[in-house]
Amino acid sequence: MTADPTENQVYSEVKTGKTTAATEPVDVTYADVDLKQKSKAKKKKETSTPPEADSVYSQLKPGTAPALPETTLTITPNPAYTGETVTLTCSVGSDSGWSYKWYKDKKKKVVTLSGRHTTTGVTFTISRAAEFDQGLYWCQGEIQSRSISSIISDPVTITVKALPTASVKASPRGPLYSGETVTLTCSMGSDSGWRYTWYKDKKKKVVTLSSRHTTKGATFTISRAAESDQGLYWCQGEIQSRSISSIISDPVTITVKERPVAVLTLQPNWPQIFSGETLNLRCNIQGGEEIEYAFYNSGKSVYTNTEPEYRISPAKNGLYTCKGLQKTNGLKHSQTSNAIQLTVLDKPQAVLSVSPQWLNPGDSVTLSCGVKESSTGWRFFWYRTVPYTAGLLSLSDTSYSVEPLSGNGTSEDSYTLIPAGPSHTGGYVCRAGRGDPVYDTLYSEPQFLWSGDPQPSVSLKIRPNRTQHFTSTSLSLSCEEKRNSTGWRLKRYREKAVESECVSNWGSRAGSSCTIRSTRKKDSGVYWCESGSGEYSNAVNITVDVGPLILESPAYPMTEGDTVTLRCTNRYQETNPITKVDFYKDGIFIRNETTGEMTIPAVSKSDEGFYKCKSNEGESPESWVTVRGVTPGPSTSVLVGVVVGLVVAGVLLAILLVLLCRYKKAGGPPSPKAPTWTPNRTKDLSRAGLLMLGGANIYDTITPSDSHDNDAGAATAGPSDVMYAQIQLKELDKKKKSQDGEDQR
């Protein structure tokens, strides 16, 4: 016989706690049941469906009888936030027909239902969850009609938390500068699953997204910040699936301002920079507290420091800029500065000029120094050349050593030698310096101060004795010593370079002479003799010309009163003599000669100048003719002194005779009030009488005057007239004072 499965289903509680269901009739022998049932079941056999299990719980061997079902409890959401709805669901496998009981905190403490706590079917709902809803929850199924219950579920803990408060942080912190990017981050602590809403200026004014305003996850980013982005910002989290929102954050303030301007300056601000110089770049930024100064060359960082100066030593080429960086995070603080282009030039060489370069007695000479590439910021240093000595300041080619003329240099670019005389002949160089530390240029090429006058130690002789020479002719030069001076060397200066000795590339040496056997145009230059101790002879300026004509003029200065002959010579004079020549002085035509020669019978200072000649053959180069004044010698001074003494004695005798005659006519001594002598009386005296007034020693200190103001008088009356005129005025003044004193007596 087969029983109804529904009616005959029996549940057993086995030792293992597992439950099984018997769905078919079985032949069961009940044994090992609890004590209450042992007597009834002893030796009983029965072939039928299991008896009702409402009061009988058998402890059987596993797998031999059905067991009570287990109960499963699930809760969503968990944890929950205050005010949220929590749903508990109880399940007894796949069985149906169960009703459920709910327990809290204790297994047998049934929850109290209320308006917030309701049950529907398998669910228990907690609305508007609060903190006191937290705790342990169980559930158990039962079939009341059969008086059976499932195994109670494992407990589940419900956690109810307060709604989190959102917090917002801005990076970077502090004021923003136009163009910067700022990121706002919203945080809910350790919770996840939130989405975020951003507000600006008002708590419920949601920000408008754009290409500059973007969100991703918990961040809100503002790119290329502008002043319009300033304001208050909030954030709030929400879980849309649960319809809950966090407490809105406190606001954060975003301030946007223009970046401060950076200004880069160069110190010293020279227009040209030279290799080896030291420079300072200075970055000036307003409001530069708590920042670092970054310097860049062509966009590459080269120096960063809290000080605004960058010292470049030595100077380097490049395009330099600077900007300020925030010290705390290295972010850009200022705008990028203006750019300064540095172009470093090669080390410069000073350029020296000497004026005049040929000495005249009594002349002052001006040395002028400059730097061709730049005229800014230099101080000038002046030197005289001396024979090369190891250990002294020397020129790079070791041709000369140098001795300073001024210790600290001069801010002016000129230096004057007063008076200039034979002791100043020689070579001079200069150089310039500027900056701190001082940066020096290269020494200038040496420039020379020459004298054509014979010197006491040695003189340069030239044969033929003229300053102009044709090419392809022979020229001999020699240093002729006048006393025991040794070590004299012939030198020449041409094309801004000094050449020492008579070397094979320009001449041959024989004894004390140097012979240029075949002159070339490049042999033109200034020649002189120089001793090992630094003494100089007279110098001769030689011109070698390729043209058809040269002007033969004296190679040495002429003395006033000398006769000078200037001759215009044809290259082929012997076969083609010149018949008609025009002579010029300082570019002005002065006369025509048919002999090819012009003679000045008695030269004076006014005859000094540049001379040249012209003919139908062509034109000669110019030559300078120097004229020196007469300096009286010792014998002449004695003779003149005797003559002057006699004249003075005669004048005194005449004065005595005049006084004696007046005395006799007056009959006694003259009245003290009557003048006996006036300065105007001197106009009646002869020139000899005037000379006698001066005494015999006046010539000891007289030097010839080179003043051009006296040239006209010198040309007609001779040089001595000029000196006597000067003496006349001086002695008349003395005589006047003497006579006035006698009148007062």
Side-chain angles (χ1 to χ4, degrees):
M1 181 175 106
T2 302
D4 181 24
T6 304
E7 293 180 355
N8 296 319
Q9 191 172 25
V10 178
Y11 295 93
S12 300
E13 185 175 359
V14 299
K15 293 180 179 180
T16 61
K18 300 293 184 179
T19 60
T20 59
T23 58
E24 294 182 1
V26 292
D27 192 0
V28 180
T29 299
Y30 295 93
D32 299 326
V33 297
D34 57 24
L35 297 175
K36 291 181 181 179
Q37 302 295 329
K38 283 183 179 179
S39 59
K40 295 181 180 180
K42 191 175 182 181
K43 298 181 181 179
K44 182 177 182 180
K45 283 188 176 182
E46 183 175 321
T47 304
S48 63
T49 58
E52 294 292 330
D54 52 359
S55 60
V56 181
Y57 292 88
S58 299
Q59 191 171 15
L60 305 176
K61 294 180 180 180
T64 61
L68 289 173
E70 290 183 346
T71 306
T72 302
L73 176 61
T74 59
I75 301 176
T76 46
N78 192 26
Y81 293 103
T82 302
E84 202 172 9
T85 296
V86 181
T87 300
L88 293 77
T89 303
C90 198
S91 174
V92 182
S94 60
D95 295 341
S96 60
W98 295 89
S99 61
Y100 298 92
K101 287 185 178 180
W102 301 91
Y103 306 94
K104 180 177 183 292
D105 296 331
K106 296 180 180 179
K107 287 186 179 181
K108 296 303 179 182
K109 182 181 179 182
V110 179
V111 295
T112 304
L113 299 181
S114 67
R116 292 193 312 107
H117 304 83
T118 60
T119 63
T120 302
V122 297
T123 63
F124 172 61
T125 301
I126 303 173
S127 301
R128 302 188 303 280
E131 287 189 15
F132 57 78
D133 290 318
Q134 296 183 123
L136 293 174
Y137 285 81
W138 294 263
C139 74
Q140 186 177 34
E142 65 178 355
I143 302 176
Q144 293 180 348
S145 61
R146 298 166 59 185
S147 301
I148 61 172
S149 299
S150 68
I151 297 173
I152 196 165
S153 70
D154 291 331
V156 176
T157 300
I158 291 181
T159 301
V160 180
K161 301 189 296 184
L163 284 173
T165 301
S167 64
V168 62
K169 292 182 179 179
S171 178
R173 299 175 61 186
L176 298 174
Y177 296 105
S178 297
E180 265 192 311
T181 295
V182 60
T183 299
L184 305 179
T185 302
C186 196
S187 174
M188 296 296 171
S190 60
D191 292 346
S192 59
W194 295 88
R195 293 182 62 184
Y196 301 92
T197 304
W198 297 91
Y199 306 94
K200 179 178 183 291
D201 296 333
K202 296 179 181 179
K203 287 187 177 181
K204 293 303 178 182
K205 183 181 178 181
V206 178
V207 295
T208 302
L209 300 181
S210 68
S211 60
R212 292 197 307 110
H213 304 84
T214 58
T215 62
K216 183 178 181 181
T219 62
F220 171 59
T221 301
I222 303 173
S223 303
R224 303 187 304 280
E227 288 188 14
S228 60
D229 294 316
Q230 295 186 126
L232 297 175
Y233 288 82
W234 293 265
C235 75
Q236 186 176 33
E238 63 178 351
I239 301 176
Q240 291 180 337
S241 61
R242 293 161 60 180
S243 300
I244 61 169
S245 297
S246 71
I247 298 173
I248 197 167
S249 70
D250 291 331
V252 63
T253 301
I254 298 296
T255 302
V256 181
K257 61 182 181 180
E258 290 295 325
R259 291 184 184 277
V261 176
V263 178
L264 183 64
T265 57
L266 177 64
Q267 299 173 336
N269 188 18
W270 293 321
Q272 290 84 24
I273 307 300
F274 299 102
S275 175
E277 282 196 287
T278 297
L279 302 172
N280 288 321
L281 289 175
R282 183 176 182 86
C283 192
N284 296 306
I285 300 174
Q286 292 184 349
E289 299 83 6
E290 297 298 319
I291 67 169
E292 292 182 327
Y293 298 86
F295 294 84
Y296 302 85
N297 183 355
S298 301
K300 182 179 179 181
S301 177
V302 291
Y303 183 74
T304 302
N305 198 279
T306 55
E307 296 299 322
E309 286 193 356
Y310 171 37
R311 191 176 182 88
I312 311 175
S313 181
K316 298 178 180 66
N317 288 317
L319 187 67
Y320 289 84
T321 57
C322 74
K323 65 183 178 184
L325 301 178
Q326 297 176 27
K327 187 185 294 185
T328 55
N329 53 25
L331 296 176
K332 185 176 180 180
H333 170 78
S334 74
Q335 299 179 33
T336 300
S337 73
N338 56 298
I340 293 180
Q341 178 70 57
L342 290 186
T343 301
V344 180
L345 306 176
D346 291 337
K347 192 177 184 74
Q349 183 175 27
V351 178
L352 177 67
S353 63
V354 178
S355 179
Q357 204 158 13
W358 290 85
L359 275 173
N360 289 315
D363 283 353
S364 63
V365 175
T366 300
L367 310 180
S368 299
C369 191
V371 180
K372 183 178 180 181
E373 296 83 355
S374 171
S375 60
T376 306
W378 298 105
R379 190 170 183 84
F380 299 93
F381 300 86
W382 312 90
Y383 305 87
R384 182 169 180 174
T385 61
V386 295
Y388 174 74
T389 304
L392 296 181
L393 293 174
S394 301
L395 304 184
S396 58
D397 60 0
T398 67
S399 57
Y400 289 99
S401 293
V402 296
E403 291 180 344
L405 293 176
S406 60
N408 297 324
T410 62
S411 57
E412 296 81 17
D413 62 356
S414 62
Y415 185 85
T416 303
L417 301 173
I418 304 176
S423 63
H424 290 102
T425 59
Y428 295 86
V429 295
C430 74
R431 69 176 175 183
R434 67 181 184 183
D436 181 20
V438 176
Y439 172 81
D440 292 317
T441 66
L442 299 173
Y443 287 108
S444 69
E445 294 291 345
Q447 295 293 318
F448 292 85
L449 182 57
W450 291 296
S451 171
D453 295 315
Q455 301 299 306
S457 299
V458 69
S459 64
L460 173 64
K461 297 297 182 181
I462 179 172
R463 297 176 184 86
N465 183 17
R466 61 179 187 244
T467 58
Q468 293 187 15
H469 301 265
F470 289 115
T471 55
S472 302
T473 59
S474 178
L475 174 63
S476 177
L477 305 104
S478 61
C479 298
E480 298 188 1
E481 301 176 20
K482 297 181 180 180
R483 64 187 186 196
N484 293 329
S485 297
T486 58
W488 291 96
R489 295 173 295 172
L490 178 67
K491 291 195 174 186
R492 72 176 181 182
Y493 180 84
R494 65 184 185 91
E495 299 177 357
K496 297 184 179 181
V498 177
E499 295 179 349
S500 298
E501 303 295 349
C502 180
V503 292
S504 58
N505 64 335
W506 60 278
S508 59
R509 184 172 182 176
S512 62
S513 297
C514 178
T515 301
I516 303 175
R517 300 194 181 280
S518 181
T519 55
R520 294 172 292 179
K521 187 174 180 62
K522 68 178 184 179
D523 290 320
S524 296
V526 179
Y527 291 75
W528 74 95
C529 299
E530 187 177 326
S531 73
S533 59
E535 295 178 275
Y536 285 73
S537 72
N538 61 302
V540 178
N541 190 4
I542 293 175
T543 301
V544 178
D545 193 64
V546 297
L549 296 181
I550 61 171
L551 178 67
E552 295 185 17
S553 62
Y556 311 108
M558 305 304 296
T559 303
E560 286 185 318
D562 289 349
T563 297
V564 177
T565 298
L566 304 178
R567 181 177 295 106
C568 196
T569 301
N570 188 340
R571 180 182 288 272
Y572 308 103
Q573 185 71 18
E574 295 181 359
T575 59
N576 187 23
I578 298 176
T579 57
K580 185 179 179 180
V581 176
D582 295 331
F583 287 90
Y584 294 80
K585 177 179 180 289
D586 297 329
I588 300 173
F589 172 78
I590 51 177
R591 71 175 71 171
N592 176 272
E593 296 288 348
T594 57
T595 61
E597 295 181 355
M598 183 184 79
T599 300
I600 305 174
V603 295
S604 65
K605 193 68 178 174
S606 62
D607 293 316
E608 192 172 68
F610 284 101
Y611 288 84
K612 69 178 180 179
C613 64
K614 287 184 179 181
S615 75
N616 56 3
E617 300 289 334
E619 180 179 332
S620 74
E622 287 186 324
S623 282
W624 175 263
V625 173
T626 303
V627 179
R628 297 283 186 256
V630 177
T631 301
S635 60
T636 304
S637 298
V638 173
L639 179 59
V640 173
V642 172
V643 174
V644 172
L646 292 175
V647 172
V648 171
V651 171
L652 292 175
L653 181 59
I655 292 173
L656 290 174
L657 291 175
V658 171
L659 292 174
L660 180 60
C661 291
R662 292 183 65 185
Y663 179 81
K664 288 182 178 182
K665 289 180 180 180
S671 172
K673 296 182 181 180
T676 60
W677 187 268
T678 64
N680 292 333
R681 295 289 297 273
T682 59
K683 68 182 180 179
D684 299 323
L685 296 178
S686 65
R687 175 175 294 174
L690 289 173
L691 290 174
M692 291 178 66
L693 293 174
N697 297 324
I698 60 174
Y699 291 98
D700 292 345
T701 58
I702 295 175
T703 57
S705 173
D706 288 335
S707 173
H708 292 292
D709 295 339
N710 298 324
D711 288 350
T716 57
S720 59
D721 289 341
V722 178
M723 290 187 289
Y724 296 153
Q726 292 171 345
I727 295 170
Q728 173 182 335
L729 294 176
K730 188 183 295 184
E731 297 305 326
L732 281 175
D733 186 56
K734 291 181 180 179
K735 186 63 179 177
K736 176 182 176 181
K737 293 179 182 177
S738 175
Q739 187 62 39
D740 289 345
E742 291 180 6
D743 290 344
Q744 292 174 2
R745 287 196 299 269

